Amino acid sequence: MATGKIETFGDGTPYIPAGGWRVFFAWIVDFTVYLVGVVVGFVTLAAMDLVVDLGDNIPVFGLLGLLFGVPLLYGLCFRNGRGLGAVWAGTRLVRRSDGGRIGAKGPWAMLVRTILLPLLIIGVVAGGGYAPDMIKRVSIDVAKTRRLQEERRAGYLPPRV
């Protein structure tokens, strides 16, 4: 039997959410990939500036472009809800409404995950909480949710309400 706290998506399908430490580990891995991408991009840009004088503002604008461009490019690999961090942690980011894949919103989700999430955490801590309807996506435990759904199909669990 699948163990863990069972929750339901907006359409009534049950799932088991990923634990807080697993979600944090996945975020740390994704954030590290983001930082490595920004550093590699900036070093490459600085090396190009040494060889060919790009001007005074190009490295600064290049860094700003990297800060937002790297998570968008990394998010292209995130369309199925599993970046490198999620694969290592055994989680998947899905839509809260029906458990579906995030699809073409993957780049946006990665931008939110790497840049806006730290700002959101600061805002929640400073503001004292968040509205439950504000969260549109949730990380699930892939293996436990799969077992839960297999048990439901086999008739071990009552049908969804």
Side-chain angles (χ1 to χ4, degrees):
M1 177 145 205
T3 59
K5 181 181 177 188
I6 299 174
E7 294 184 14
T8 57
F9 294 116
D11 68 354
T13 304
Y15 72 93
I16 298 179
W21 286 111
R22 291 172 78 181
V23 172
F24 179 71
F25 175 73
W27 178 80
I28 286 291
V29 171
D30 288 337
F31 192 74
T32 302
V33 169
Y34 161 70
L35 286 179
V36 168
V38 169
V39 168
V40 167
F42 187 72
V43 167
T44 303
L45 192 61
M48 285 175 41
D49 188 42
L50 288 175
V51 174
V52 178
D53 185 25
L54 298 176
D56 293 337
N57 294 332
I58 297 299
V60 173
F61 289 126
L63 179 60
L64 288 174
L66 287 168
L67 291 175
F68 290 95
V70 169
L72 292 173
L73 289 174
Y74 183 39
L76 291 174
C77 304
F78 194 60
R79 294 177 57 157
N80 71 351
R82 297 190 85 183
L84 187 60
V87 170
W88 283 1
T91 63
R92 172 175 283 128
L93 188 68
V94 296
R95 288 191 308 260
R96 191 176 201 91
S97 62
D98 62 0
R101 306 283 172 97
I102 56 175
K105 293 184 180 178
W108 171 249
M110 188 56 73
L111 179 72
V112 167
R113 210 172 150 89
T114 55
I115 294 178
L116 301 180
L117 181 64
L119 297 175
L120 174 68
I121 291 170
I122 292 168
V124 166
V125 169
Y130 65 90
D133 294 339
M134 187 174 96
I135 304 298
K136 299 294 182 193
R137 291 172 185 80
V138 64
S139 289
I140 63 169
D141 186 309
V142 175
K144 289 180 180 178
T145 299
R146 184 178 303 124
R147 278 196 306 273
L148 175 69
Q149 292 169 351
E150 288 170 357
E151 290 169 0
R152 181 168 300 286
R153 281 191 293 275
Y156 297 133
L157 298 173
R160 57 184 165 194
V161 179

